[in-house]
Amino acid sequence: MALDCVASNPEHYRVVMENERVRVLLYEDVPGVRTVVHRHPDSVMWTLSSFRRRLVGGQSEVDVELPAGAAVWLPAQEHLGENIGETDTRVLFVELKEPAPVGADPGPGSGTAVVLGPD
């Protein structure tokens, strides 16, 4: 099974820019859509639309509701997502390719981290 989100969910994820340090993805779906399991490295998510989603990873499940224009830090994680709202989801992800420096605080920054627990 391919865990890269673009390979596992190509109908929803599209690479819009990539270089040696980051990969920028556009994610789009409609209400009721559920992705297959995939992985994200440490990322920043910028919401282009407001939405409600359910994220399921391992034994954890969390419902998330975000407004358009939110910037959110996402620590590396593996999950599947489902659009449980009544609006389309449109999001930009900036995936980091470099690991965090040793001893760095991976804190959420100015946004709310969406963290799923381990299996």
Side-chain angles (χ1 to χ4, degrees):
M1 167 176 64
L3 289 179
D4 177 80
C5 60
V6 176
S8 62
N9 295 276
E11 64 279 11
H12 302 296
Y13 285 95
R14 180 170 54 93
V15 177
V16 295
M17 181 268 185
E18 184 169 14
N19 65 26
E20 64 281 348
R21 299 182 67 195
V22 299
R23 180 170 77 158
V24 180
L25 306 174
L26 175 63
Y27 176 85
E28 298 177 296
D29 75 15
V30 297
V33 165
R34 183 177 175 119
T35 66
V36 299
V37 174
H38 57 278
R39 180 178 296 144
H40 293 280
D42 287 346
S43 305
V44 174
M45 176 178 65
W46 180 267
T47 61
L48 302 175
S49 66
S50 59
F51 58 83
R52 287 184 52 230
R53 300 187 66 70
R54 177 166 294 133
L55 301 176
V56 179
Q59 301 302 314
S60 298
E61 183 176 298
V62 63
D63 289 352
V64 178
E65 186 168 357
L66 290 169
V72 180
W73 169 254
L74 297 174
Q77 59 187 273
E78 186 176 310
H79 63 237
L80 63 82
E82 180 179 5
N83 184 333
I84 59 171
E86 298 176 4
T87 61
D88 295 356
T89 302
R90 293 194 75 233
V91 174
L92 283 175
F93 288 94
V94 179
E95 295 184 334
L96 306 180
K97 292 185 176 184
E98 299 172 354
V102 175
D105 176 9
S110 63
T112 303
V114 178
V115 181
L116 295 176
D119 291 336

